[in-house]
Amino acid sequence: MNTITAELEPLTTITETVSLQPDALESEAIYIFREVVAQFEKPVLLFSGGKDSITLVRLAQKAFYPSKIPFPLMHIDTGHNFPETIAFRDKLVEELGVELIVRKVQDSIDQGKVVEETGKYASRNMLQTTTLLDAIEEFKFDACIGGARRDEEKARAKERIFSVRDDFGQWDEKNQRPELFDMLNGAIEIGQNVRVFPISNWTELDVWSYIESEGIEIPSIYFAHKRNIFVRDGLIWSAEDDVVFRAEDEVVEERMVRFRTVGDMSCTAAVLSYADSIEKVVAEIRESQISERGARIDDKRSEAAMEKRKQQGYF
């Protein structure tokens, strides 16, 4: 019988985090947002309902206050998102009175543009790329604002703040523009678009500390709660849905868990935790020495999994 072992206990090893001062990070992000609106015709904020995109929304509010956010939010919906994040997404959009564009991976599957994966590690996460590129073409967006950070993963560490994609939506990591003295070059050719990363220089701890200081509401899934789970390959999976494949010998247990990162249910694992408040989450992150991406199975498919996805047009 599979049970949760001591190897899955919450980490308590302290690691040192070096970062810019919070005010400097916020000021940099606000500057980037204003440059986007100044240099591009049709920007959009890519919104997932996760903590990073929620932080982007708050920063955009500050950048353009007292006016409303001057561009829409867009969610590429896999159809396998956690219900908590979808509910939060809709609540936030209604409160802010901003436009939300939703494009669904299921439509790409139905149209025969992508083929759904099957088997033990099947996920729709990689299928989002086609849906995203189609949406960019549909609305003629020339700048897509995302919440990627350089500390998340080594491929994302190669990104510039203004990262150019070609007319096929592809990224060439060897053809990056210099960004000297905070001078952001938004000049692009016909067909090209730019991915913009206002919190590129932030760390996971910076994001959580900002959420704490600003009193930002986030989905309940980020806090410790009792959940039916099962363990596979040393990772904790939700057993409260019919999305995640579960073998007959994978035993369901109820444990206190939370999610450090929120993505497609089929590729996002939980962590054991008793952190049920922002203050406790910040303390837990401060003590952890494992990246939040350690709970994303899609990053473990190969050594260069994220880089290959980004080259094809992924977020």
Side-chain angles (χ1 to χ4, degrees), residues 203-270:
T203 65
E204 182 188 13
L205 181 59
D206 290 327
V207 171
W208 279 111
S209 297
Y210 190 73
I211 289 170
E212 180 182 25
S213 66
E214 290 287 309
I216 300 173
E217 184 181 359
I218 58 171
S220 59
I221 197 169
Y222 280 111
F223 298 114
H225 57 285
K226 288 184 179 180
R227 198 178 192 93
N228 290 324
I229 59 89
F230 69 97
V231 178
R232 176 192 299 147
D233 300 333
L235 296 176
I236 303 171
W237 300 97
S238 174
E240 295 190 348
D241 55 75
D242 58 358
V243 170
V244 182
F245 175 90
R246 187 173 73 253
E248 292 183 0
D249 62 343
E250 291 176 320
V251 179
V252 175
E253 303 179 58
E254 185 182 71
R255 298 298 297 264
M256 286 288 290
V257 300
R258 73 177 194 86
F259 290 83
R260 283 179 69 179
T261 179
V262 174
D264 190 295
M265 283 188 286
S266 59
C267 67
T268 307

Side-chain angles (χ1 to χ4, degrees), residues 33-51:
F33 269 112
R34 291 172 176 169
E35 284 296 300
V36 169
V37 171
Q39 296 192 45
F40 297 97
E41 296 292 330
K42 290 200 69 176
V44 66
L45 193 156
L46 302 177
F47 187 78
S48 67
K51 67 183 186 309

Side-chain angles (χ1 to χ4, degrees), residues 36 40-46 70-76 99-103 131-145 165-167 169 188-196:
V36 169
F40 297 97
E41 296 292 330
K42 290 200 69 176
V44 66
L45 193 156
L46 302 177
F71 39 74
L73 277 55
M74 182 166 70
H75 181 210
I76 304 302
E99 178 185 2
L100 172 67
I101 298 168
V102 178
R103 287 297 177 267
T131 311
L132 171 64
L133 296 181
D134 285 348
I136 292 172
E137 176 62 25
E138 176 186 355
F139 293 97
K140 306 301 180 186
F141 291 128
D142 53 3
C144 298
I145 305 163
R165 300 307 201 260
D166 65 20
D167 52 359
I188 55 175
E189 298 177 2
I190 294 176
Q192 290 183 327
N193 63 81
V194 170
R195 305 291 171 82
V196 181

